[in-house]
Amino acid sequence: MQRSIGIRARALAFSLMALSLANLSGCGGSNGKASNQPKPSSGKSTSAPATPVVPNEAKPVATPPVSSSSVGAFPEGKATTLLTGVVRLEGAAPERKPIRTDNDPVCQKMHEGAPLLDEVIIAGAGGELANVLVFVSTGLESYTFDAPDDVQVLDQKGCQYVPRVFGVMVGQPIKIRNSDTTIHNVNCQASENLPFNLSQAQKGMETEKVFEDPEMPLTFKCDVHPWMRAYGGVFTHPFFAVSKMDGSFQFPRKLIPGEYTLTAWHEKLGKIEIPVSVKGGDSHKVELRFKNQPK
Amino acid sequence: MANLEKKPFNPWLFTAAGAVIVVVLAILIANSPDPKPAIPVGNPNVVPETVVVPETTEDLLAHGANLFARNCATCHGAKGAGDGEAAYLLNPKPRNLVLGQYRVVRTLNGLARREDIYKVITEGMPGSSMPPWDRLSEKDRWALTDYTLSLDSKREKKVKKLGLELLNPVAPPPMDIAVLEHGRSLFQQACALCHGSSGRGDGPQQQFDTEGYPTRPRDLTLGLYKGGGEPEEIFRRIRLGMPGSPMPALGSISDQDAWALTHFVKSLAKRDAQSVVRQKYQTIEATRASGPVPEDPFSDEWLRRPATALGLMPLWWRETRIEQVETRCAYDAEHLWVHLAWDDATQDDSQLHLQSFSDGAAVQLTSDADPPLFAMGARGSSDVRIWFWKASKQRDTDHGFADIQTIHPNMYTAHYQHMKGGPLAVATPFLAEGDAHDPRFLTGRGAGNVVSTPNKQPVESLSAHGIGTVGQRVHNDEGVQGRGVWRDGRYALILRRPLKQSGAKALSLAVGEQAYVAFAVWDGNLGDRNGQKSVTIWHALRLTP
């Protein structure tokens, strides 16, 4: 229901835009200025030193607005390079503490024997850091991308969000599901998009949502089970990925050679930005390092 | 009639006109940030039918900005960010209006419509200090509405993109035991973890609103609703939630289920509680006294007169509270009398122990035709007058001044410089007026400061022009006198003031004229003092001929 409203509103806005454009073109006024968008590089530029900036606070990251003046479809044919990488935590990973779930007997029962562990920082013995959302933050402004039809599921299962961190594209559907036999409410805090707070009282309930504007991050919380948190990024392009338990990540599509900024965001450890110079070749590997500076 | 010419029907013209209208309409809908308000379904008292909704214009917005600065900024902050100078006294906190997230909405996507804000401004939010503004004209309230909405800079864009589609409740199914039982079982599933299984708001989890302030699921047995107590209104809260609070929207159930829940929620509630808690602007008629006015606040002659009951709101909201104050007013050739009566199970007239606070009541008065904020007036406006009666002062007046020494009779055994006749002149206590004390050591009293001098009468006369500006009017130039009595769980209080005053800042009252009054009550037993109190909004006071 929510989705159809969004789409209808967009359709209306589009048809009106078309109307006003038609009017404009009649006057011959075209905005045919040269683009000041960053161009994909020819591959010659020297790569900048990869010194990470680490503001140790999970602040919202502004995604640069897409200028509508000189954008075109992403030239899939020129995309050569798969960006992959690994995210690490320097220094000792904090111990994951058990969570008290006794305010809801259903949750407690599900974790009898093996208590739920706090998911804020999940790092392996070698510092492999999971749940980091890595995305291209600059370098793709001149391209448009279609939103994929595949649905991103945000499940509530075992009184946890699964996944805890995810990315979607603007317009890509998200299916929020309750797989537990207790009530969850999904309280989504957003500022570019509309916030919502909906409850799913029964197992199997599903709701589809679509985010209309880029935003990073969206926060999802459950007011019944305060340890439940999820974070989502909404992007205008598909170049984002979440690091797995072994700290590795891989973008779902290939990039064309060029200069990019890569941002890695962690809910607690803040964000890192590094310049990346993709020069062609099948793959380009990066390593991202977070420092754990306890507050 | 004669010049009504019959034209042949031209279907082509008709459809062409229709097409133009459709296009124009589409543009209008897309451009106007908010489609013209419709009268909300099923609740005639939400927006009076006579309302002429003004267009949003620059002038209206500018008017709204002025009204906002005068009436709202003390709580909501000059820029609407919820950080006014009174905010620290308030719980729940005043809304940060810049965020554009409102609890009481009727749209599917949670964006407020113009009428939603108009309604909240008109009716206030019972259960908080957000007062109703039904005293202001409809135009003023629309101006405030538009100004409030304009504080959210992203609103226009969002409304354009996402629209403001209403949730329209279907007609409720007839209520019977089966529906109620169905509602009860749904409640256990969908609500009990927050509202508690008996609906008392005692679910196990502490909760916070979007801005991080602690909040509580409502105790649904109270029958108190911020968004209104009509079934359609409760239905909407259940379906749509209260954006910004943990109260979620229950989207994925059938309308029938939502109605079953609504009926069940209503069945939990105390009857008529909403009308008690909801403040409404009223006119208090002071009638001419036809003989001597009795001095005993509990005299039948007073209590037989018709009273105006006024709802009170604790600035720091709590469920145990004094709900109402009744007032009866009278005047004669020289004086205005204000009689107040309210329930208070405990008499707290001593504040000598560290944790004890005195009961009290205050009358606030202004003759300003556009009264400043009811909470202590406003800077840059004429002073509001405050007559402040305190149970502890009444006790001092009736039984002699009480001091720390009254509860600790042997405290003066050591060296006290301030006693005349030397430090060891122990026998003379503080009680004995200033004369027992050497004014060099009690300088306040020596200088005649009214605050440092033992009370000879239970009412203080104060004035203020904004929070934190309260000052005593030296030597009670208002000439206010009063007497309050507590009896069997109830206070009755008479306050009297001359009708006429002289001097530059005189506030004289004349027959046929109108002033504004507001009242405050302190319940010492609940720790009330200073800014922690229950208040009414401004009401009109008229001396009827």
Side-chain angles (χ1 to χ4, degrees):
Chain A
M1 171 154 256
Q2 225 76 18
R3 188 176 185 210
S4 69
I5 296 164
I7 286 175
R8 215 190 308 149
R10 255 197 311 179
L12 183 61
F14 268 129
S15 52
L16 282 165
M17 219 159 74
L19 200 78
S20 54
L21 277 180
N23 284 342
L24 268 183
S25 62
C27 312
S30 108
N31 261 357
K33 278 239 181 91
S35 130
N36 55 0
Q37 297 293 327
K39 290 235 175 68
S41 108
S42 55
K44 264 213 220 147
S45 64
T46 51
S47 72
T51 33
V53 203
V54 190
N56 222 358
E57 208 185 17
K59 280 219 187 89
V61 184
T63 317
V66 181
S67 151
S68 57
S69 57
S70 62
V71 290
F74 183 72
E76 208 65 59
K78 292 190 202 155
T80 50
T81 309
L82 196 63
L83 196 123
T84 65
V86 63
V87 191
R88 285 187 208 284
L89 177 66
E90 287 177 1
E95 193 193 339
R96 292 177 60 192
K97 300 215 172 71
I99 289 168
R100 281 187 61 171
T101 50
D102 52 351
N103 73 353
D104 184 345
V106 176
C107 300
Q108 195 175 24
K109 193 132 203 304
M110 278 191 283
H111 296 282
E112 251 168 4
L116 257 185
L117 294 181
D118 142 32
E119 292 188 293
V120 176
I121 298 180
I122 303 179
E128 304 87 351
L129 187 60
N131 283 347
V132 173
L133 184 50
V134 185
F135 56 93
V136 170
S137 48
T138 69
L140 291 166
E141 291 79 358
S142 353
Y143 305 115
T144 57
F145 300 87
D146 289 332
D149 288 331
D150 25 318
V151 177
Q152 169 71 48
V153 173
L154 177 60
D155 203 356
Q156 300 156 97
K157 198 172 179 185
C159 298
Q160 279 171 303
Y161 283 113
V162 184
R164 186 175 174 95
V165 181
F166 64 90
V168 286
M169 276 186 67
V170 169
Q172 182 181 357
I174 296 183
K175 187 177 281 173
I176 300 170
R177 178 194 299 149
N178 184 1
S179 303
D180 288 337
T181 49
T182 187
I183 178 187
H184 292 295
N185 73 306
V186 194
N187 193 339
C188 169
Q189 329 232 307
S191 65
E192 298 307 315
N193 290 281
L194 279 187
F196 60 84
N197 176 10
L198 55 94
S199 94
Q200 296 186 323
Q202 286 160 4
K203 184 175 170 144
M205 279 187 167
E206 287 184 345
T207 310
E208 216 170 90
K209 287 277 177 186
V210 175
F211 293 99
E212 304 274 345
D213 284 292
E215 181 159 3
M216 177 65 216
L218 298 165
T219 303
F220 299 82
K221 66 167 186 166
C222 174
D223 296 287
V224 187
H225 309 107
W227 62 86
M228 287 177 68
R229 282 277 189 292
Y231 302 91
V234 186
F235 303 98
T236 51
H237 59 72
F239 296 98
F240 53 83
V242 178
S243 65
K244 298 196 238 149
M245 292 300 273
D246 62 0
S248 73
F249 70 91
Q250 174 178 329
F251 282 168
R253 285 162 72 171
K254 289 178 173 170
L255 281 166
I256 54 177
E259 298 296 327
Y260 302 95
T261 309
L262 206 61
T263 299
W265 177 92
H266 185 274
E267 62 177 273
K268 180 76 193 269
L269 302 168
K271 68 169 178 164
I272 296 177
E273 280 180 3
I274 59 164
V276 170
S277 177
V278 173
K279 305 208 170 82
D282 285 350
S283 69
H284 185 112
K285 193 163 178 189
V286 297
E287 186 173 298
L288 295 147
R289 288 180 170 273
F290 280 88
K291 286 202 184 74
N292 187 12
Q293 297 171 344
K295 281 201 186 134
Chain B
M1 275 290 132
N3 52 9
L4 242 189
E5 240 178 286
K6 252 196 179 165
K7 289 219 173 103
F9 178 60
N10 179 339
W12 164 240
L13 239 180
F14 189 73
T15 34
V20 170
I21 287 168
V22 167
V23 170
V24 169
L25 265 181
I27 292 170
L28 276 180
I29 289 168
N31 286 341
S32 78
D34 218 339
K36 275 276 103 61
I39 301 299
V41 182
N43 189 0
N45 55 13
V46 172
V47 179
E49 312 264 347
T50 54
V51 164
V52 183
V53 183
E55 292 291 332
T56 309
T57 59
E58 288 300 316
D59 281 353
L60 195 69
L61 279 172
H63 182 51
N66 282 333
L67 289 165
F68 191 90
R70 186 164 176 85
N71 296 300
C72 324
T74 305
C75 295
H76 288 284
K79 302 215 162 91
D83 55 355
E85 56 182 331
Y88 79 99
L89 291 170
L90 310 178
N91 184 41
K93 292 289 164 230
R95 187 81 63 256
N96 178 346
L97 301 168
V98 176
L99 299 179
Q101 202 178 34
Y102 311 99
R103 303 283 186 273
V104 183
V105 294
R106 294 173 303 138
T107 55
L108 291 164
N109 61 18
L111 281 170
R113 290 170 72 109
R114 244 177 131 203
E115 317 91 288
D116 297 344
I117 301 302
Y118 180 87
K119 177 181 187 297
V120 130
I121 291 175
T122 303
E123 299 183 1
M125 290 181 93
S128 81
S129 61
M130 170 64 192
W133 297 92
D134 47 349
R135 177 172 56 78
L136 301 179
S137 73
E138 286 167 6
K139 184 184 165 217
D140 284 355
R141 281 176 270 147
W142 284 112
L144 281 162
T145 300
D146 285 346
Y147 180 72
T148 299
L149 288 171
S150 75
L151 292 168
D152 169 18
S153 58
K154 292 177 184 161
R155 175 177 166 85
E156 209 167 325
K157 189 183 124 204
K158 285 183 182 166
V159 170
K160 246 183 204 154
K161 198 158 176 176
L162 303 165
L164 293 163
E165 189 180 338
L166 279 174
L167 168 80
N168 282 317
V170 298
M175 220 239 295
D176 58 23
I177 291 293
V179 170
L180 217 53
E181 279 312 308
H182 182 48
R184 183 194 306 279
S185 82
L186 289 169
F187 188 87
Q188 294 311 325
Q189 250 178 34
C191 325
L193 264 178
C194 288
H195 288 279
S197 51
S198 54
R200 294 198 165 272
D202 53 358
Q205 192 48 55
Q206 209 202 340
Q207 303 197 333
F208 300 89
D209 68 15
T210 301
E211 291 189 76
Y213 293 114
T215 180
R216 265 191 69 186
R218 187 70 38 77
D219 176 347
L220 297 171
T221 64
L222 295 175
L224 182 163
Y225 309 100
K226 292 183 178 173
E230 297 294 319
E232 288 83 1
E233 292 171 313
I234 296 173
F235 179 96
R236 286 196 168 99
R237 298 295 91 70
I238 293 173
R239 267 342 262 282
L240 302 170
M242 299 178 79
S245 93
M247 171 69 192
L250 193 55
S252 38
I253 56 166
S254 70
D255 281 342
Q256 298 302 306
D257 285 355
W259 272 118
L261 276 164
T262 306
H263 286 319
F264 177 69
V265 164
K266 282 231 81 158
S267 78
L268 292 172
K270 221 172 18 183
R271 232 166 258 278
D272 299 327
Q274 185 78 358
S275 59
V276 172
V277 74
R278 223 191 107 184
Q279 301 221 10
K280 266 192 168 154
Y281 172 58
Q282 300 191 49
T283 298
I284 302 159
E285 310 275 3
T287 48
R288 187 190 292 276
S290 55
V293 177
E295 307 239 318
D296 173 12
F298 273 106
S299 80
D300 269 354
E301 271 167 273
W302 268 117
L303 300 180
R304 269 201 313 263
R305 287 167 168 269
T308 312
L310 306 169
L312 285 164
M313 55 188 186
L315 293 179
W316 194 271
W317 188 267
R318 60 180 179 230
E319 268 128 39
T320 331
R321 62 182 208 281
I322 298 167
E323 294 181 341
Q324 284 190 325
V325 57
E326 282 175 7
T327 185
R328 300 164 167 92
C329 297
Y331 69 94
D332 64 10
E334 273 149 43
H335 290 105
L336 169 72
W337 275 269
V338 176
H339 182 280
L340 296 177
W342 68 97
D343 290 332
D344 184 345
T346 56
Q347 182 185 22
D348 301 282
D349 58 358
S350 156
Q351 43 189 356
L352 296 177
H353 295 274
L354 205 54
Q355 301 86 344
S356 54
F357 302 99
S358 173
D359 295 332
V363 175
Q364 190 180 258
L365 194 71
T366 180
S367 59
D368 203 328
D370 176 18
L373 187 65
F374 64 91
M376 300 301 207
R379 287 172 218 285
S381 303
S382 58
D383 281 2
V384 296
R385 309 302 166 88
I386 298 164
W387 318 337
F388 182 21
W389 173 86
K390 247 176 143 174
S392 59
K393 296 199 169 184
Q394 185 72 56
R395 178 185 158 134
D396 289 354
T397 315
D398 295 350
H399 305 293
F401 183 57
D403 201 327
I404 304 293
Q405 204 189 6
T406 318
I407 51 169
H408 298 295
N410 296 322
M411 64 177 279
Y412 292 118
T413 51
H415 185 87
Y416 283 98
Q417 293 286 3
H418 58 73
M419 309 311 268
K420 275 185 190 160
L424 295 175
V426 183
T428 326
F430 264 94
L431 309 183
E433 292 303 298
D435 22 79
H437 305 277
D438 187 335
R440 277 180 300 161
F441 294 101
L442 292 174
T443 46
R445 200 183 283 188
N449 183 337
V450 268
V451 182
S452 325
T453 312
N455 308 302
K456 283 186 220 143
Q457 74 127 318
V459 193
E460 270 180 75
S461 178
L462 310 166
S463 61
H465 49 270
I467 298 239
T469 66
V470 181
Q472 195 160 23
R473 298 181 76 88
V474 178
H475 305 313
N476 191 5
D477 66 354
E478 287 269 296
V480 184
Q481 313 237 303
R483 186 158 119 81
V485 175
W486 182 87
R487 191 179 294 165
D488 300 332
R490 195 162 165 84
Y491 273 108
L493 165 67
I494 300 176
L495 296 162
R496 189 189 80 184
R497 199 200 87 138
L499 285 175
K500 299 259 173 310
Q501 278 188 341
S502 50
K505 291 190 166 180
L507 194 167
S508 294
L509 297 161
V511 177
E513 278 179 10
Q514 178 170 306
Y516 290 97
V517 276
F519 303 94
V521 170
W522 286 259
D523 185 346
N525 187 46
L526 295 175
D528 280 355
R529 68 265 190 195
N530 307 326
Q532 183 178 327
K533 58 188 171 186
S534 293
V535 300
T536 74
I537 51 173
W538 285 122
H539 297 283
L541 171 68
R542 196 173 310 141
L543 274 54
T544 50

